[in-house]
Amino acid sequence: MTIEKILVTGGAGFIGSAVIRYLLRETGVEIVNLDKLTYAANPAALEGAERNRRYRFEQADIADGAAMRAILAKHRPDAILHLAAETHVDRSIDGPADFVQTNIVGTYVLLEAARDYWTSLPPEAAEHFRFHHVSTDEVFGSLGADGAFTEATPYRPSSPYSASKAASDHLVGAWHATFGLPIVSSNCSNNYGPWQFPEKFIPLMVVKAARGEPMPVYGKGENVRDWLHVDDHARALWLILTRGRLGESYNVGGRGERRNLEVVETICGIMDEMVPGRAHRPLLSFVADRPGHDLRYAVDFSKLSAELGWQPRESFESGLRSTVRWYLDHRDWWDAIGHYRQTRLGAVKAAS
Ligand code: NAD
């Protein structure tokens, strides 16, 4: 199927901006970036895109149905790649309301606008239309020491964030089963790379180390995540959108399982090399664990690999090294983001 124009929601975010850079570089597709520009948006990550005649930007909230209908009618995309979301687990513990509003209500409103738009399309365009919902492996809950999530793993979300993403996944599945909306979806493991908001684990550690401040590790640093470079995710998303089977979901993972402590220690080693003159390991500081902290995630992406031939290309070692380099070279960007201030988020005890 040929996609000539794509609407990307959340395109000013960490993954969305990587996808847009990928699409501008590797494809001829026209792109409409629809983003509310919350605190997490990074317009700087799309510098230069405004000058590309294939790129358009619309500032809007996915929970605004009238705006969604107007934008779809105006741009008439062949596909929607839906990434817009509230994404920080710790913030979802301190204030779940925004997560319910954007991730659940917003996805519902967008689905309804997409359904209206899709039913108004001529038959051939309607047949080729796709709605790709982007989600997380966190919907599956926590693993023990062994095994990996497959597409058939039951949903057991632990945090308000993962519960809101799980709800949105179910809505998308239901809009396909009930209304026939042509959807594909994907659940990906933890991403890392340039332009990630510095409240997230890897950039937070690099920023803290660069400032010579304590690097806060939750609990004993035993939690395991399966790290994937954001550019590998961007490539997977385009492949799934253009070639994934209708109604199917695909897991995306990095084969990059690491304990948090290992990641932080590796960052310290890289920082020692790149910023000589100070040992960074002594900055490590163990803090109270996140309530409901899932122990281990690992993703089995054999379906994506067998059906669409996708494999991660970046190794965690080289990807982490280039990411640390990138943050050290972009200090102006993260220094200017004053409002995240890196106070401890998400430490609230559950109500008894
Ligand atoms: P991000 O927080 O960096 O960016 C989210 C973007 O969505 C921001 O630009 C923000 O302005 C926009 N947005 C938020 N609420 C909106 C609304 N109501 N209307 C319109 N735009 C809105 O997030 P990210 O890390 O790039 O994640 C993108 C998507 O990928 C999310 O759906 C997330 O659940 C999923 N995901 C992320 C990861 C990861 O490791 N970061 C892993 C798997 C899946």
Side-chain angles (χ1 to χ4, degrees):
M1 127 185 184
T2 315
I3 295 176
E4 287 177 7
K5 192 188 275 189
I6 182 174
L7 178 80
V8 179
T9 74
F14 165 51
I15 300 173
S17 62
V19 170
I20 291 175
R21 293 192 302 273
Y22 173 84
L23 294 176
L24 288 173
R25 204 174 53 235
E26 304 285 337
T27 75
V29 74
E30 286 180 56
I31 302 147
V32 181
N33 175 9
L34 186 166
D35 200 294
K36 184 180 175 182
L37 299 184
T38 70
Y39 81 95
N42 300 312
L46 290 168
E47 224 173 63
E50 320 80 52
R51 290 191 295 279
N52 194 312
R53 55 173 186 76
R54 290 196 283 127
Y55 176 81
R56 295 276 180 285
F57 177 71
E58 295 279 0
Q59 183 170 4
D61 185 337
I62 55 164
D64 179 344
M68 292 308 101
R69 282 178 171 76
I71 289 167
L72 287 169
K74 175 178 166 192
H75 292 286
R76 305 195 61 75
D78 307 308
I80 297 173
L81 181 61
H82 176 36
L83 294 121
E86 287 292 334
T87 62
H88 189 40
V89 176
D90 288 341
R91 284 183 190 269
S92 82
I93 296 168
D94 289 345
D98 287 348
F99 290 72
V100 171
Q101 176 61 20
T102 286
N103 300 0
I104 307 178
V105 178
T107 298
Y108 154 72
V109 171
L110 181 65
L111 280 168
E112 280 295 74
R115 181 161 75 100
D116 279 359
Y117 168 68
W118 168 66
T119 46
S120 76
L121 291 173
E124 205 194 333
E127 193 191 321
H128 292 310
F129 181 77
R130 289 290 179 278
F131 184 106
H132 180 166
H133 176 61
V134 179
S135 192
T136 165
D137 63 351
E138 302 192 27
V139 298
F140 300 121
S142 190
L143 290 165
D146 304 314
F149 302 130
T150 72
E151 289 79 4
T153 301
Y155 276 35
R156 289 186 57 191
S158 313
S159 70
Y161 164 66
S162 54
S164 69
K165 291 298 293 186
S168 68
D169 291 11
H170 290 316
L171 289 173
V172 170
W175 258 243
H176 175 66
T178 305
F179 304 115
L181 188 70
I183 67 112
V184 284
S185 58
S186 52
N187 294 80
C188 186
S189 62
N190 282 49
N191 285 211
Y192 70 98
W195 299 111
Q196 187 168 30
F197 198 80
E199 65 189 355
K200 301 281 169 63
F201 181 63
I202 287 180
L204 180 66
M205 291 304 141
V206 179
V207 164
K208 289 287 189 187
R211 287 186 172 148
E213 292 173 5
M215 301 165 74
V217 179
Y218 290 176
K220 294 183 182 149
E222 292 296 322
N223 304 70
V224 175
R225 298 294 179 259
D226 179 359
W227 293 98
L228 178 71
H229 194 277
V230 69
D231 290 343
D232 277 324
H233 190 193
R235 191 165 46 83
L237 291 175
W238 179 240
L239 204 56
I240 293 165
L241 175 59
T242 50
R243 292 182 35 210
R245 277 187 294 134
L246 196 59
E248 294 286 321
S249 76
Y250 292 85
N251 279 358
V252 189
R255 221 182 275 117
E257 268 188 75
R258 297 286 185 287
R259 284 186 305 128
N260 284 352
L261 187 55
E262 256 180 284
V263 174
V264 181
E265 286 181 332
T266 310
I267 290 173
C268 288
I270 297 171
M271 291 289 294
D272 287 354
E273 261 178 58
M274 290 185 182
V275 190
R278 116 170 287 147
H280 294 87
R281 180 78 179 65
L283 295 172
L284 260 177
S285 148
F286 293 92
V287 300
D289 207 353
R290 168 190 283 165
H293 204 178
D294 290 331
L295 179 64
R296 179 173 163 262
Y297 302 144
V299 172
D300 176 345
F301 58 86
S302 49
K303 177 175 171 180
L304 176 60
S305 178
E307 287 188 20
L308 304 179
W310 179 88
Q311 293 283 339
R313 287 181 183 159
E314 183 69 79
S315 76
F316 187 64
E317 284 64 33
S318 71
L320 187 60
R321 177 171 281 277
S322 63
T323 300
V324 172
R325 183 73 265 161
W326 187 92
Y327 277 88
L328 293 176
D329 292 343
H330 290 76
R331 187 167 185 143
D332 287 355
W333 172 65
W334 52 260
D335 255 346
I337 304 172
H339 57 90
Y340 68 101
R341 272 300 144 227
Q342 299 154 321
T343 45
R344 175 70 197 265
L345 298 168
V348 184
K349 293 233 177 340
S352 51

